[in-house]
Structure formats: C-alpha cells, structure tokens
Amino acid sequence: DTLWDLAVAEVEKRENPDNDDVKPGEVWEKSILFMGNKNGGKTTIILRCLEREESPKPTLALEYTFGRRARRHNTPKDVAHFWELGGGTSLMELIRIPITSHSIRSFAVILVLDLSKPNELWTTMESLLQVTRNHVNKILTKLEKTNPQVAAEIKQRMWNDLQRDHPDYALVDPFPIPLVIIGSKYDIFHEFDSEMRKIISKTLRFVSHYYGASLVFTSKSEPLLLKARALINHLAFGYDKSKSVSVDPSKPLFIPAGLDSMSQIGPPPASESDLGRVRASTPLELWKKVFEKTFPPKSFSDLQDAKDPAQDSQYAEYEVDVMRAQKNQELEQYKRNASKSWKEMDFDSD
C-alpha cells in the first residue's frame, strides 16, 4: 500500500470506529425497530431523526421508512431501515417480520417508554423485551448450526460496551442485540412529584444497565431530541458515540451503554425493612416488585389495542370499504338464516 492508501484507511477507521467490517466505498446498512407505548412518541422521534417536517400520524401495525446519509462527499450513501411497531403490546408477534436471520447481524432495537404513564411502564417494557429476546435467541440457535461464526460474533458484540474489568461484568445480562431505551414526554414527567421522578429514573437506570442498553429522556424540546437522535444515529449510521453522561434525577437522563454502574445506581428505592419482606429470585424481579408497589401495573388486557384497524379513517378506501360493508351484511344475514334453520330442526328423540 502507498502512503496515501494507508492515510485513507486510517481516516476510515477513525470515522467508523465501531464498524470494522465496512470497507472504503462500501455501503453501511443497518436496521432499527422502534417499539413501545402506544402514542408514546415513536413516530415523532423517527421523523426528527430523518429531519422530515411532517405531522406524525398514528401508526397501524408495522410501518417502514428509511434514511440515507453520506459519510463524505462523493461516496455512496449509507442506508438505515426504520421499522415502527404500532399498537403498544397488542401486535408483538409482528417483530418476526423485520428481525430475521439475514438482518440480525445489523439490527438494533429502540424501546420508547412513555414517562407520563408509569403504571404502564414496566408491563410494556417487560412484554416487548421478552418477546423480542425470545425471537432473537431462536434465530441465534439456528445460526449456531448454519453459520456459527456469525452467531459467535453477535454474542460477543453483546458485551462490547462493558469491559471485562467493569465491576458489574458478572451482574448484568446484556440484550442479545443493541438496545436503546428512550423515556419520552419528559416535559410531563418533569411536573411529577420529585420522589416519583426519582423512583422511575432509578429503576430505568437499573434496567438499562442490566440489559447493557443506553438510556435517554426526551420530549418535543429540540435539545432533548438532539440527544436522542445522537444515540440513534450512532446505531443507524455509525456516528461517533457520545461519551457525555447525565445521571441527576432532577434533569433529563442521558447514559450511553456501559457508562453506569450498580454502585452509582444504588439499591431499589425502598426501606431496608420493606426490601427484607420482598421475595424475589433475581435482582430484576426485586426491582420490578419495588417499582410496582408504587406504580401498580395496568392489566395486560388493558394495554391491548382493541380498535379495529379496518375502521381507521386514515386508511379509508371507498371501493374496498363498500365491498367490506356488503360482505358484512351478507355474513349477518347468513348467521340469522343459519340460526333459524337450527331452531326449526326436528331432532328425533330416539
């Protein structure tokens, strides 16, 4: 190699320190799934990341969009595929569509939690992360047989943000793919009682650190959106990872993965006597029980989206809707006729 070739390679490495697989001239291609509370602000965050001046619309089922960025002038644009799961926890099975054995190597998850609804927070978080993790683990099990090198690479990458000399190395259970937890609607959350804010902030710090995730609080405020955007752009386009940290519970949290610790987070927010009465088999279960004592969870069925998507006005199509109405009438008529026939039947008692 010439001196110029070596210089170009060094610049590439500095501009993309976390992406050694991408060679000069090649396109960086990543996929991100946004999921979380219904009406939690996922669409707003995506539009802001893509710098699109559009009014957000309610997300139905699973929606897709993409963004493109050029690392330098006269180079191919990198591509980020953005998937958004609508309906809160009601359509979790749809995560199987974007997360596949082909995309998993370059996949990440953004979990958006509505800070203004603490009674839905743990149930939403637990349900979505559990279903996602189970699906990813099934893919990894298959890859261990078909492509063990890729499976090993993904499993090793889980630990990239936590150095072996980190005091919590043996205490955490990293999510199998990169994870960012975004606490949305901070403007409403900021009006909560200070003790409530402290419990929510401390709990989310523990959960994020336990899963090896980054944590950021945001709202429609431009400075806060920019912080969330920085974490997302790191995953989507390989931008430099921020090293700044904000752990003050009176301010919006911003903690990149691997930069927190159990000693800084402290114990669950409860008295020693209360903690002594809590029965839990894991630290995560202990934090859950302490959190839900203050914020009793809504039942899982309450979080389901019972609205019929076919009735959503934003997807109205005259010809389709007229035919659907006709078929519904035919079905109702068939059910009435069938009911009459059933009642009129003369059964032989012998």
Side-chain angles (χ1 to χ4, degrees):
D1 292 340
T2 65
L3 184 60
W4 181 252
D5 292 330
L6 294 174
V8 170
E10 179 63 23
V11 171
E12 284 280 347
K13 183 176 180 180
R14 290 183 181 182
E15 291 186 347
N16 300 282
D18 297 326
N19 192 38
D20 297 333
D21 296 335
V22 178
K23 299 179 177 59
E26 288 187 351
V27 173
W28 164 294
E29 192 167 352
K30 296 288 182 177
S31 298
I32 298 179
L33 173 63
F34 288 77
M35 57 187 185
N37 291 94
K38 185 184 177 185
N39 300 320
K42 300 182 291 297
T43 305
T44 299
I45 293 170
I46 293 174
L47 291 175
R48 188 63 192 87
C49 284
L50 298 177
E51 298 180 355
R52 294 181 184 171
E53 299 296 330
E54 303 174 20
S55 298
K57 296 180 180 179
T59 302
L60 184 68
L62 184 67
E63 295 192 2
Y64 167 82
T65 188
F66 68 93
R68 302 177 71 194
R69 297 280 190 279
R71 275 170 277 170
R72 294 177 307 282
H73 293 298
N74 301 321
T75 59
K77 289 187 176 182
D78 299 324
V79 180
H81 305 282
F82 284 5
W83 297 86
E84 182 183 357
L85 180 67
T89 58
S90 63
L91 300 168
M92 293 185 292
E93 293 304 314
L94 291 179
I95 65 166
R96 293 178 296 180
I97 295 174
I99 307 179
T100 66
S101 56
H102 299 290
S103 67
I104 192 172
R105 192 177 182 185
S106 58
F107 215 97
V109 169
I110 308 289
L111 177 64
V112 181
L113 298 173
D114 189 338
L115 295 174
S116 71
K117 299 177 181 177
N119 298 86
E120 297 181 13
L121 193 149
W122 193 285
T123 303
T124 299
M125 173 181 66
E126 183 178 55
S127 302
L128 290 169
L129 291 184
Q130 184 176 7
V131 169
T132 305
R133 185 167 208 158
N134 289 343
H135 176 63
V136 170
N137 285 339
K138 287 180 182 178
I139 293 176
L140 290 176
T141 300
K142 292 180 180 178
L143 280 177
E144 286 176 343
K145 300 175 182 178
T146 59
N147 198 333
Q149 183 177 349
V150 170
E153 175 189 319
I154 294 172
K155 288 186 175 182
Q156 177 57 42
R157 194 178 295 171
M158 292 164 52
W159 296 92
N160 282 357
D161 290 317
L162 203 66
Q163 302 300 321
R164 284 190 174 275
D165 58 354
H166 194 289
D168 302 333
Y169 193 84
L171 304 176
V172 298
D173 185 18
F175 206 68
I177 53 180
L179 172 66
V180 171
I181 297 178
I182 296 179
S184 66
K185 302 187 181 180
Y186 178 79
D187 50 335
I188 301 175
F189 171 77
H190 188 59
E191 301 299 321
F192 284 9
D193 172 77
S194 61
E195 193 60 31
M196 290 174 62
R197 293 202 312 269
K198 183 179 179 181
I199 293 172
I200 296 170
S201 297
K202 198 172 184 180
T203 300
L204 287 179
R205 280 184 65 185
F206 170 80
V207 171
S208 298
H209 184 57
Y210 183 78
Y211 283 129
S214 297
L215 175 65
V216 59
F217 284 1
T218 189
S219 68
K220 292 183 179 179
S221 159
E222 189 65 18
L224 293 186
L225 278 172
L226 286 175
K227 286 197 168 187
R229 183 182 171 192
L231 287 175
I232 296 169
N233 279 339
H234 169 67
L235 295 177
F237 301 107
Y239 288 11
D240 288 343
K241 183 179 177 181
S242 176
K243 297 293 177 66
S244 66
V245 176
S246 175
V247 297
D248 186 343
S250 66
K251 298 178 181 178
L253 296 182
F254 182 82
I255 313 173
L259 299 185
D260 210 342
S261 68
M262 298 294 187
S263 61
Q264 291 178 332
I265 296 170
S271 65
E272 290 188 13
S273 58
D274 286 342
L275 286 177
R277 288 193 293 268
V278 176
R279 293 185 178 181
S281 57
T282 66
L284 191 65
E285 185 181 358
L286 175 64
W287 279 81
K288 175 183 178 180
K289 290 188 174 182
V290 171
F291 181 82
E292 291 185 342
K293 184 177 180 181
T294 305
F295 303 105
K298 286 190 175 182
S299 67
F300 186 77
S301 58
D302 289 341
L303 300 178
Q304 298 293 305
D305 185 9
K307 182 180 177 182
D308 182 359
Q311 306 303 321
D312 197 310
S313 59
Q314 68 172 318
Y315 299 102
E317 290 188 46
Y318 179 75
E319 292 83 357
V320 174
D321 294 339
V322 168
M323 181 58 68
R324 178 184 176 88
Q326 178 184 325
K327 293 300 180 184
N328 283 340
Q329 289 178 357
E330 293 176 1
L331 176 60
E332 289 302 318
Q333 185 62 45
Y334 172 81
K335 286 158 59 174
R336 284 194 293 269
N337 293 340
S339 178
K340 289 179 182 178
S341 300
W342 179 264
K343 292 177 181 177
E344 294 170 356
M345 291 179 69
D346 183 18
F347 293 97
D348 188 349
S349 58
D350 295 335

